[in-house]
Amino acid sequence: MNNHLVSSRTFLTISTYLTGYNEVELLGTGMLETYFNVFLEKFSPKTLHYFFAEVDEILLESAGDEDKINAAIAARLIPDSAYDGIAKNIILVWYTGNWGSDVISTQSYQQGLMWDAAEAHPPGAKQPGYGSWANLPIRIPTK
Amino acid sequence: MEKKIKEEFDVVIVGSGIAGSVLAKTLTNAGKNVLLLEAGLQAGMAFDPEAAYQNYQYYLETFYKASAKVPNSPYPNIKDAQSIDVLDIEPITQCNSPSTKGYLVQAGPLPFGSDCLRGPGGTTLHWLGSTPRMLPNDFKMKTLYGQGVDWPISYDDLMPYYEMAENEIGVSGDVRDQVGPDMGIQNYGKDYVFPMKEIPQSYLDQVCIEKTQNLTVKLHGKEYTITCISTPQGRNSIPNPAYKFAGTYWNKKAQKLELAKNDEEYEPVGAIWDPNTGHRCEGNASCVPICPVQAKYNALKTLRKSDPKRLKIITQAVASKIYTDETTNAITGIEYKKYKYENSTVYDTAIARGKIYVLAASAIENAKILLTSGIANSSDQVGRNLMDHLVMLTWGLLPEKAYPYRGPGSTTNIPTFRDGEFRKEHAAWISPIDNWGWSWPVFSPGSDVSSAVSSGMFGKKLREHLNDVLPRQLLLHFECEQTPDPNNRVTIDPQYKDQLDNYRPVIHYDASEYMKKSFEAAKKVSDQIFAANGVEDYTAYSVANDPDYVTYKGQGYNFWGAGHIVGTHRMGTAKENSVVDKNQRTWDHDNLYLVGCGNMPTLGTSNPTLTMTALSFKAAEAILKQLEN
């Protein structure tokens, strides 16, 4: 890649649209660099280049219109034939902390967004305290 | 190569799980010298705080990194003393018989579905921690229902030892809530309480209880009223001020074990690395396979309370053979292989000697060692009657969010079908309500994510979808009591050995009509509970889903192993029908005791650890009497 800094920024932006989690939530996992590096390692520089170029184009032409962005993502990034499946893999990595069935790191397991989506916590980490399970989960408003 | 250990001990124990640890603690504190042989790695036996903490953190990190978070996933599985791994279970087919993928050689026709842990602390490291007692009627299955056998002891005989076990494990629960068929305050004694107050029942339990408590269900033309009760558990909660017992001690004068009275409040037993950590369950929701703070009981907590001056522990020592005196039939020594390091093929052979010998190596390993040595088997019962709870699972979506994946694995159970006349026809079961969503049968929530993503879902829609579905997941278990069958058994075969030249267990296993009929019955009950709660049923059984797949009256069912490995050296009334007597001493050898779940003649519907612990105290008492007379 000719410019990692730019792409890591783009990686974060497209991750928000792909995962449904905002930048603060994603940055709060502390996993951005780790996951970005996973993609640099797993996909060819060429495919990554074309993928991020497509992402830049989608963001530019949609000018912040979320519906337009989502329609473009569905049509141009989500199909399995698009960019070796990078987009779907970005979603899976953020939600599960896994690459395929491999856990990326002890941290990635603990930061999987699927536990947040379930309004729970990763088993064995971020424990909510004695008796917490007898009550409704505490939810911090994100807006 | 053969070396003799110079010291002679009063008692030699094989295995540091809960049975072996209860014996080591009780016997050393009564002044006896004990040698404990443990097959697992030395690192797991660390008791100095720093080493114990480091080792346990290593387990925890291994768990985090495990792609399949199965019960043994945090713990080393070494080739010198392999553990059973549920990931090795596969369907047994014509071209795959026996299945030799894992440690067990599975001859079928169905694969045995449970695992246990060979290592310091044994399977209590990964157990869930549910500690219901057996029911009085469970001890009389033959007399009352014409199934299996009666125990040589009654519930009343075991009662004082149950109290010792509940003290040792540190049970949290509400005695007054233990009501159901053949259950009630009479099973406990008027003023009895558990050491700690009940673990709070989950929010999910409360949602289910609302429409399930006192629900009438029909089964085979009879009506039953469903009840939901809190489950007693071996994890730390708030001490009950009414609990007045300190610990179990040997009353030399009376020649019996007794619970010492205590005027002070019960103090929860903390982590092995720090007595102040783990005084309360903190809601890690990972009891199986590992409690990060050790609020859940494990056997190392017991072992640590042994008298260190009287206990010698040798780790990385795999018991391989037992020697007997041909004229007296007495045991003269236990041969063990001490390997140098993890997975090493290099080992020394030595013989441990004592006055009395105890096998506490797990139901399957105990049977294997006896079969290898050709001893204790005049009844031909060694290895036979292997049992487990056959767990039928049902899962669906609740109409409202109940927020699973939080709290201990299960905090409430339905005891309605634990006992009744129907036991003449089909197996009884206990139904825990599960707090961990669909993780067991279908690997949720990861599988929910991947199927939604495969379907093209992304972004806010994906997040909303998961937030809608995951908090509504409901899982019920039906833990069906397997009855003893002599053909469900552990054997050995010279073709199958491990790298220390010890036998691998060969397992023959099947589910009888009596069991299959209980799956049909349990599914009918599940359907009615689901209907009353407006639950959309997602249960799907197939051999692809789980290798333990059976059909009954044209319907297919899956069952899963409960990890309750029981019955391979049954206790009985006579030398002809059993391996051990009611004190768990082998009929054939006056100085050989067997402890652990292998002694249980039948299983009942309770998780067996509490009962096995009670029996271990009974064995300890008998051993002390024998040593002193």
Side-chain angles (χ1 to χ4, degrees):
Chain A
M1 295 302 298
N2 47 11
N3 195 335
H4 285 184
L5 272 178
V6 170
S7 295
S8 132
R9 176 70 231 177
T10 315
F11 180 78
L12 175 63
T13 307
I14 196 61
S15 290
T16 65
Y17 290 106
L18 289 171
T19 61
Y21 280 79
N22 66 33
E23 286 192 8
V24 175
E25 291 171 312
L26 294 183
L27 289 170
T29 66
M31 299 308 293
L32 176 65
E33 284 75 11
T34 304
Y35 292 163
F36 182 57
N37 288 332
V38 166
F39 284 84
L40 294 187
E41 187 199 312
K42 299 288 181 188
F43 292 90
S44 77
K46 262 191 181 171
T47 312
L48 285 165
H49 175 77
Y50 291 131
F51 175 78
F52 285 115
E54 180 83 288
V55 168
D56 282 339
E57 203 174 302
I58 289 171
L59 294 174
L60 192 70
E61 72 191 25
S62 308
D65 182 329
E66 209 177 316
D67 290 342
K68 270 192 188 168
I69 294 175
N70 283 337
I73 287 174
R76 288 145 66 182
L77 301 183
I78 292 294
D80 289 330
S81 53
Y83 311 105
D84 292 347
I86 291 177
K88 279 185 177 173
N89 278 295
I90 289 175
I91 304 172
L92 292 173
V93 163
W94 281 109
Y95 269 91
T96 65
N98 286 8
W99 178 263
S101 61
D102 293 337
V103 180
I104 292 166
S105 67
T106 57
Q107 266 306 303
S108 74
Y109 164 68
Q110 296 174 62
Q111 300 300 339
L113 296 176
M114 62 187 181
W115 304 109
D116 177 89
E119 298 188 57
H121 61 95
K126 300 186 183 181
Q127 71 272 35
Y130 178 80
S132 54
W133 56 88
N135 301 294
L136 286 166
I138 295 170
R139 193 102 175 111
I140 301 163
T142 49
K143 279 186 182 172
Chain B
M1 285 293 281
E2 196 172 289
K3 286 183 193 166
K4 279 184 186 174
I5 296 187
K6 282 179 196 146
E7 309 116 290
E8 178 162 322
F9 295 88
D10 291 313
V11 182
V12 176
I13 300 170
V14 178
S16 68
I18 185 166
S21 291
V22 161
L23 282 157
K25 179 195 157 192
T26 310
L27 299 174
T28 57
N29 288 329
K32 308 304 171 197
N33 292 317
V34 169
L35 172 66
L36 178 65
L37 302 175
E38 166 52 52
L41 294 173
Q42 170 61 28
M45 198 56 96
F47 284 106
D48 76 277
E50 193 175 331
Y53 180 73
Q54 291 301 335
N55 181 66
Y56 205 72
Q57 289 307 302
Y58 171 74
Y59 290 168
L60 187 61
E61 284 170 20
T62 308
F63 160 70
Y64 288 157
K65 279 194 250 177
S67 44
K69 293 183 165 40
V70 294
N72 276 342
S73 60
Y75 309 105
N77 194 0
I78 44 172
K79 290 184 180 146
D80 313 285
Q82 257 188 285
S83 290
I84 307 166
D85 189 333
V86 292
L87 295 172
D88 292 325
I89 299 168
E90 57 183 2
I92 299 162
T93 59
Q94 272 183 332
C95 28
N96 174 37
S97 178
S99 158
T100 57
K101 193 177 165 198
Y103 172 57
L104 295 182
V105 177
Q106 300 251 24
L110 289 172
F112 186 67
S114 282
D115 63 7
C116 59
L117 179 60
R118 289 172 83 190
T123 308
T124 54
L125 291 187
H126 83 215
W127 76 317
L128 176 57
S130 299
T131 54
R133 291 187 185 184
M134 285 177 69
L135 312 180
N137 287 349
D138 292 338
F139 295 75
K140 303 177 280 193
M141 282 296 286
K142 185 75 183 173
T143 301
L144 293 175
Y145 306 118
Q147 297 293 335
V149 285
D150 288 355
W151 285 46
I153 53 171
S154 69
Y155 180 89
D156 286 347
D157 293 333
L158 205 53
M159 243 175 68
Y161 304 99
Y162 266 134
E163 295 183 1
M164 293 174 202
E166 282 155 357
N167 173 271
E168 189 62 46
I169 290 170
V171 169
S172 295
D174 183 356
V175 168
R176 285 163 308 169
D177 209 19
Q178 303 310 307
V179 177
D182 198 32
M183 296 170 72
I185 196 77
Q186 73 280 4
N187 290 3
Y188 292 89
K190 193 163 68 69
D191 298 320
Y192 186 73
V193 295
F194 293 123
M196 290 168 280
K197 292 183 179 177
E198 67 176 296
I199 293 281
Q201 289 168 282
S202 67
Y203 181 82
L204 181 143
D205 292 338
Q206 296 164 42
V207 168
C208 294
I209 286 169
E210 209 176 293
K211 289 181 179 134
T212 310
Q213 192 73 278
N214 299 321
L215 173 73
T216 301
V217 295
K218 282 188 191 151
L219 183 63
H220 301 136
K222 265 192 84 174
E223 289 194 341
Y224 296 85
T225 304
I226 300 280
T227 58
C228 305
I229 64 172
S230 66
T231 303
Q233 295 158 61
R235 73 188 88 256
N236 289 333
S237 170
I238 297 163
N240 188 333
Y243 186 75
K244 292 295 176 203
F245 297 109
T248 302
Y249 75 103
W250 172 238
N251 183 335
K252 201 174 164 68
K253 208 172 151 195
Q255 290 283 291
K256 59 190 248 192
L257 288 177
E258 285 177 359
L259 268 173
K261 291 268 185 206
N262 184 13
D263 289 333
E264 286 166 35
E265 188 171 89
Y266 176 87
E267 187 173 351
V269 181
I272 54 165
W273 62 85
D274 173 17
N276 297 312
T277 291
H279 276 215
R280 297 288 184 278
C281 170
E282 297 178 6
N284 268 289
S286 61
C287 321
V288 182
I290 185 166
C291 174
V293 298
Q294 290 196 347
K296 181 188 75 176
Y297 171 83
N298 69 67
L300 296 172
K301 295 187 181 190
T302 291
L303 191 56
R304 194 185 55 168
K305 290 189 256 173
S306 303
D307 180 347
K309 298 186 298 296
R310 300 187 183 281
L311 177 64
K312 176 170 179 158
I313 300 175
I314 305 179
T315 55
Q316 305 184 182
V318 188
S320 45
K321 199 175 176 190
I322 301 175
Y323 292 101
T324 53
D325 180 313
E326 279 176 22
T327 48
T328 64
N329 239 0
I331 307 301
T332 55
I334 297 183
E335 176 195 273
Y336 64 93
K337 294 170 178 171
K338 183 160 171 64
Y339 57 92
K340 302 267 183 211
Y341 51 85
E342 189 170 343
N343 298 325
S344 163
T345 52
V346 181
Y347 61 89
D348 287 331
T349 303
I351 296 180
R353 298 193 193 277
K355 293 175 187 145
I356 289 179
Y357 299 86
V358 182
L359 293 188
S362 84
I364 288 176
E365 292 302 316
N366 280 359
K368 189 192 88 178
I369 294 167
L370 295 175
L371 291 170
T372 303
S373 313
I375 63 164
N377 199 16
S378 63
S379 63
D380 186 36
Q381 294 299 308
V382 170
R384 295 189 184 275
N385 309 303
L386 173 67
M387 293 175 274
D388 191 0
H389 284 120
L390 307 191
V391 183
M392 199 192 76
L393 301 172
T394 60
W395 56 100
L397 285 183
L398 285 156
E400 63 178 291
K401 291 183 181 180
Y403 304 100
Y405 301 102
R406 301 184 309 141
S410 178
T411 37
T412 294
N413 72 82
I414 299 170
T416 312
F417 292 93
R418 290 189 66 186
D419 188 46
E421 284 298 306
F422 61 80
R423 289 174 103 174
K424 290 175 180 166
E425 307 298 324
H426 63 76
W429 65 79
I430 190 170
S431 295
I433 298 174
D434 199 290
N435 285 331
W436 295 346
W438 298 353
S439 53
W440 191 357
V442 296
F443 312 107
S444 292
S447 57
D448 303 273
V449 174
S450 46
S451 67
V453 171
S454 304
S455 77
M457 219 182 266
F458 67 92
K460 284 180 182 159
K461 208 175 148 197
L462 172 67
R463 184 177 180 174
E464 280 159 18
H465 165 74
L466 293 171
N467 184 247
D468 172 53
V469 170
L470 297 174
R472 293 195 288 125
Q473 290 184 345
L474 174 68
L475 177 71
L476 295 183
H477 306 31
F478 298 83
E479 303 215 353
C480 303
E481 176 192 23
Q482 189 165 28
T483 41
D485 178 340
N487 297 321
N488 286 342
R489 63 189 295 203
V490 181
T491 60
I492 52 172
D493 179 334
Q495 279 187 75
Y496 303 109
K497 289 194 167 179
D498 67 16
Q499 70 171 27
L500 294 194
D501 204 32
N502 290 323
Y503 283 102
R504 288 165 59 192
V506 179
I507 307 289
H508 297 261
Y509 196 65
D510 203 359
S512 65
E513 290 296 293
Y514 184 80
M515 300 313 300
K516 292 177 191 172
K517 197 172 177 186
S518 69
F519 302 154
E520 178 199 45
K523 186 65 171 65
K524 281 182 179 161
V525 170
S526 175
D527 288 346
Q528 294 171 72
I529 294 173
F530 277 17
N533 283 276
V535 171
E536 195 181 340
D537 198 342
Y538 277 78
T539 308
Y541 300 128
S542 74
V543 74
N545 193 20
D546 165 49
D548 278 313
Y549 178 78
V550 295
T551 54
Y552 181 71
K553 291 187 181 170
Q555 287 286 336
Y557 301 92
N558 281 125
F559 68 86
W560 285 260
H564 302 162
I565 309 176
V566 166
T568 53
H569 42 77
R570 59 159 49 157
M571 173 172 40
T573 50
K575 189 177 169 46
E576 293 71 33
N577 62 24
S578 55
V579 182
V580 296
D581 65 17
K582 63 183 179 182
N583 289 321
Q584 295 146 86
R585 184 166 76 167
T586 55
W587 293 104
D588 294 348
H589 310 278
D590 285 351
N591 64 340
L592 177 63
Y593 287 73
L594 309 177
V595 293
C597 291
N599 288 334
M600 294 172 68
T602 58
L603 179 48
T605 51
S606 48
N607 312 52
T609 298
L610 181 80
T611 300
M612 175 263 268
T613 307
L615 288 169
S616 300
F617 277 108
K618 193 171 183 340
E621 188 176 74
I623 290 167
L624 285 166
K625 272 190 202 169
Q626 185 173 341
L627 283 170
E628 296 193 359
N629 289 302

